[in-house]
Amino acid sequence: MAKKKKVLVLNGPNLNLLGKRQPEIYGRLTLDQINKKIHALAKELRVEIDIRQSNSEGELVDWIQAAPGNFGAIVINPAAYTHSSVAIRDAIIAAGIPAVEVHMSNIYKREEFRRHSYVAGAAVGQIAGFGVESYLLGLRAAVRQL
Ligand code: CA2
């Protein structure tokens, strides 16, 4: 398969805590368990993926900057950086490959500050509120962009 067919799946800060805290908002699955589901769908869709998580804004920016050489699309849950990071927004625009923004929770039904996403204006689209399914829908959307 050509290099460009790969999808990079990025997770932002604190998502490594999934399944261990706040299950009422984010469910009981750990990030490892979610990643297994994403890998299973990738196999079904016959697409190569690479899933990463970082608590560091700079590391996420570095990964996005390096993505165009190896990946044709990005699925990103920027987590709290959604609401603060101009750097991630700029990196996505600079990368010039399609990015799909995903959120497990419906960010529009929660606190006021979560209603604004800096990433949304740089993304092809956004999927929010479907728990782990948001990632699966996001991967399907990203594959259609390849
Ligand atoms: O709904 C989402 O996927 C979010 O991106 C999750 C972020 C939140 O800041 C966004 O507004 C919406 C939070 C990720 C942190 O996840 C935790 C999981 C367990 C315990 C604590 C945090």
Side-chain angles (χ1 to χ4, degrees):
M1 184 179 284
K3 262 186 172 181
K4 289 282 176 192
K5 288 285 178 190
K6 283 179 76 172
V7 175
L8 177 61
V9 181
L10 294 180
N11 287 290
N14 296 310
L15 286 164
N16 54 311
L17 299 176
L18 283 172
K20 296 165 191 164
R21 308 242 198 306
Q22 296 190 278
E24 67 286 357
I25 302 175
Y26 300 116
R28 295 194 179 277
L29 293 184
T30 65
L31 190 58
D32 275 355
Q33 289 169 326
I34 290 171
N35 291 349
K36 283 201 177 84
K37 288 180 183 286
I38 302 171
H39 275 294
L41 177 63
K43 196 173 170 192
E44 189 186 313
L45 298 177
R46 295 165 193 247
V47 64
E48 281 185 57
I49 60 166
D50 189 344
I51 308 180
R52 305 177 194 170
Q53 186 274 331
S54 180
N55 292 327
S56 155
E57 185 179 23
E59 189 164 37
L60 291 162
V61 167
D62 287 343
W63 287 339
I64 295 165
Q65 283 186 11
N70 297 302
F71 300 94
I74 298 171
V75 174
I76 182 167
N77 183 347
Y81 291 141
T82 306
H83 319 295
S84 67
S85 182
V86 177
I88 289 176
R89 176 195 178 103
D90 286 349
I92 291 170
I93 292 168
I97 57 174
V100 179
E101 178 183 351
V102 301
H103 297 285
M104 299 191 70
S105 63
N106 181 346
I107 57 174
Y108 302 98
K109 269 177 83 174
R110 301 181 62 191
E111 302 95 325
E112 181 67 36
F113 69 86
R114 292 189 203 275
R115 292 189 190 167
H116 179 258
S117 166
Y118 280 97
V119 174
V124 185
Q126 185 194 68
I127 297 161
F130 298 98
V132 64
E133 198 69 27
S134 291
Y135 285 94
L136 304 180
L137 292 166
L139 179 60
R140 286 183 188 278
V143 167
R144 298 298 292 263
Q145 296 290 321
L146 290 174

